[in-house]
Amino acid sequence: MEQRQFLLGQKDIPRQWYNIVADLGEAPPPPLHPGTKQPCGPQDLAPIFPMSLIEQEVSAQRYIDIPEEVLDILALWRPTPLYRAIRLEKALGTPAKIFYKYEGTSPVGSHKPNTAVAQAYYNKQAGVKRLATETGAGQWGSALSMACNFFGMECTVYMVKVSYFQKPYRKSLMQTFGATIYPSPSEKTQFGRKILEQSPDSPGSLGIAISEALEDTVTSQNVKYALGSVLNHVMLHQTIIGQEAKKQMEMAGAYPDVVIGCVGGGSNFAGLAFPFLQDKFAGKNVRALAVEPASCASLTKGKYDYDFGDTAMMTPLLKMHSLGSGFIPPGIHAGGLRYHGMAPLVSFLKDRGQVDAVAYEQLPCFDAALTFAHSEGIIPAPESSHAIRAAIDEALKAKAEGKEKTILFNLSGNGMLDLSAYEDYLAGKLQ
Ligand SMILES: *Cc1c(COP(=O)(O)O)cnc(C)c1O
């Protein structure tokens, strides 16, 4: 029996987050104030985030300690397993070795709690009573609802309307943790009402939902905002994934030639890839590949320039690959990838040629998800199926070239609450 599982114990949970900014050799372009177009100071962000998270957002310190209270909760499911996909390798007939880090073992089924728990903790420390946020497919909303529940805080979630109806069980999951959910655009905010007036049938978008959550935040007392991706502190919190994976690859006696993750805002990709990029900056030969949906291809098609993070143009301007803050992506099932922009850090690395990107249509990704499920038994989240598609294509390329190759991808979540997407796929209803 060949070794498939590479498991760590509770003592192996990383004690620090890795901040890639320390190893970039130059400061990445700062966020700009939307009015003055000058770099944002900490005070500009203070109405929406607690100071501890703002400090992490602008930090250039290489390692940042993870608070004990956060580790205590992460230990409910971390370290996550790393597997070698031997049955998938055989099914493809490839000489490549395929490994995957499985983040779907968290209580809500994705990597998102890694940052949700940290963000809830720092807000609790700052005396915040309620967090407001947006969610697409509901993965982020579920993670933050769970985290707020752990720290005794209220949680309000603006859920992109198309997903609210596509994924009703994620809504129930959030409600079980005590959160309040509104389909966005909603009647709850001025901005939501404005959108509904202009287009009553608006499917919503992450950009619109972010605007609603921000409006709720700045018009309420003792409420802060939490974002599940894109920002530097979110990338930071996710780096426990890659730090664990490096130890696990060592246990496997292997090192990846290519590290792959799907990208919506960039956080699960960054979480896995940044600790390997640290090795790359030190001279190691490793390629980082970000995979996005062709229908919302910010990294491969978007412009690298300053843009707003939301539709109402309330956020600071971020230098990122973007399709424009007014872009409403089509209702593909990988709801977590339907964001117009990309993390500034991932964008910066892409611009410097240190991150590669590829875009895939939805159907070949579902084909890959089924190939994966048939051999490894796990139903992947539709978002993660993009990473699987790229991993399979890398493995098939190795086969065609008769070359050995080690591939590592992030299985960012399971698809057990996305079965309606599989139903549509199996019924031939997806284009
Ligand atoms: C949210 C989500 C994504 C996309 O977000 P990133 O910040 O790019 O990681 C990918 N996979 C899953 C399972 C998600 O829930």
Side-chain angles (χ1 to χ4, degrees):
M1 193 168 59
E2 279 187 273
Q3 193 172 359
R4 289 178 153 78
Q5 307 184 0
F6 302 93
L7 306 180
L8 299 168
Q10 189 178 317
K11 62 174 182 353
D12 300 307
I13 300 176
R15 295 301 170 121
Q16 295 179 313
W17 291 301
Y18 166 60
N19 184 3
I20 199 169
V21 173
D23 291 318
L24 291 177
E26 60 183 311
L32 301 182
H33 189 282
T36 64
K37 305 274 159 44
Q38 292 302 304
C40 274
Q43 281 317 322
D44 295 322
L45 298 171
I48 52 174
F49 297 122
M51 206 40 84
S52 43
L53 286 175
I54 296 172
E55 279 163 15
Q56 291 183 359
E57 187 61 26
V58 300
S59 172
Q61 193 182 315
R62 183 168 290 109
Y63 291 102
I64 295 175
D65 288 343
I66 305 176
E68 201 61 28
E69 293 88 337
V70 172
L71 288 169
D72 276 340
I73 292 179
L74 293 180
L76 290 173
W77 71 94
R78 301 208 74 85
T80 59
L82 182 127
Y83 295 108
R84 182 163 163 209
I86 294 177
R87 287 176 51 86
L88 176 63
E89 292 168 15
K90 293 216 170 104
L92 299 173
T94 176
K97 291 193 180 99
I98 306 175
F99 293 89
Y100 62 97
K101 178 75 165 156
Y102 187 31
E103 288 294 310
T105 59
S106 84
V108 293
S110 77
H111 65 290
K112 298 260 174 30
N114 296 333
T115 183
V117 170
Q119 292 191 46
Y121 167 78
Y122 288 115
N123 276 287
K124 180 73 181 182
Q125 289 290 304
V128 172
K129 293 277 184 287
R130 174 166 73 90
L131 285 178
T133 196
E134 72 293 327
T135 196
Q139 293 271 26
W140 168 243
S142 316
L144 195 69
S145 304
M146 178 182 77
C148 283
N149 146 82
F150 283 144
F151 288 107
M153 277 188 287
E154 291 170 51
C155 186
T156 305
V157 183
Y158 294 86
M159 184 170 187
V160 177
K161 194 176 269 169
V162 55
S163 297
Y164 184 90
F165 295 111
Q166 259 179 6
K167 322 244 156 162
Y169 294 127
R170 285 250 165 69
K171 181 186 63 182
S172 315
L173 176 52
M174 292 185 260
Q175 286 166 336
T176 304
F177 283 119
T180 305
I181 327 294
Y182 299 103
S184 165
S186 77
E187 293 285 346
K188 183 84 179 118
T189 66
Q190 210 177 344
F191 186 67
R193 290 191 293 273
K194 189 175 130 199
I195 297 277
L196 285 173
E197 227 165 77
Q198 292 165 354
S199 40
D201 298 327
S202 168
S205 70
L206 276 169
I208 294 171
I210 293 173
S211 299
E212 289 205 272
L214 281 171
E215 184 185 321
D216 182 345
T217 303
V218 299
T219 55
S220 311
Q221 284 294 316
N222 245 326
V223 175
K224 295 270 191 237
Y225 168 72
L227 189 63
S229 189
V230 180
L231 297 176
N232 296 357
H233 66 268
V234 181
M235 306 295 124
L236 177 78
H237 298 158
Q238 293 293 357
T239 56
I240 45 183
I241 302 173
Q243 293 184 65
E244 285 177 8
K246 272 166 82 165
K247 282 193 200 165
Q248 290 165 308
M249 290 300 289
E250 220 174 284
M251 287 167 79
Y255 192 87
D257 297 301
V258 59
V259 175
I260 300 170
C262 64
V263 287
S267 74
N268 86 86
F269 167 75
L272 180 66
F274 283 7
F276 287 97
L277 285 173
Q278 182 181 23
D279 292 351
K280 187 183 177 78
F281 299 152
K284 261 248 196 251
N285 194 6
V286 52
R287 184 172 162 237
L289 178 61
V291 193
E292 59 185 6
S295 58
C296 194
S298 52
L299 265 182
T300 52
K301 294 269 170 62
K303 212 165 109 204
Y304 182 50
D305 204 350
Y306 276 100
D307 195 11
F308 291 98
D310 73 326
T311 309
M313 306 187 198
M314 290 166 80
T315 68
L317 288 159
L318 301 174
K319 183 140 188 198
M320 60 182 177
H321 286 85
S322 173
L323 297 164
S325 60
F327 181 75
I328 307 266
I332 56 164
H333 276 283
L337 305 185
R338 293 173 61 238
Y339 182 62
H340 67 270
M342 181 52 58
L345 282 174
V346 173
S347 294
F348 188 59
L349 289 160
K350 165 75 167 45
D351 194 57
R352 299 204 321 180
Q354 288 160 323
V355 159
D356 290 342
V358 62
Y360 284 107
E361 301 286 348
Q362 164 163 266
L363 270 182
C365 293
F366 273 101
D367 294 342
L370 257 73
T371 305
F372 181 80
H374 289 173
S375 42
E376 298 294 316
I378 298 172
I379 311 266
E383 290 84 0
S384 317
S385 73
H386 291 71
I388 299 174
R389 178 74 263 165
I392 289 179
D393 284 359
E394 288 288 322
L396 292 176
K397 199 158 59 176
K399 180 182 175 178
E401 293 168 353
K403 276 197 198 139
E404 286 187 9
K405 189 190 278 181
T406 302
I407 299 163
L408 169 62
F409 74 88
N410 201 7
L411 187 59
S412 52
N414 72 58
M416 298 309 279
L417 290 180
D418 301 291
L419 291 177
S420 64
Y422 284 88
E423 200 172 298
D424 286 352
Y425 171 76
L426 294 171
K429 283 196 212 150
L430 294 190
Q431 311 130 4

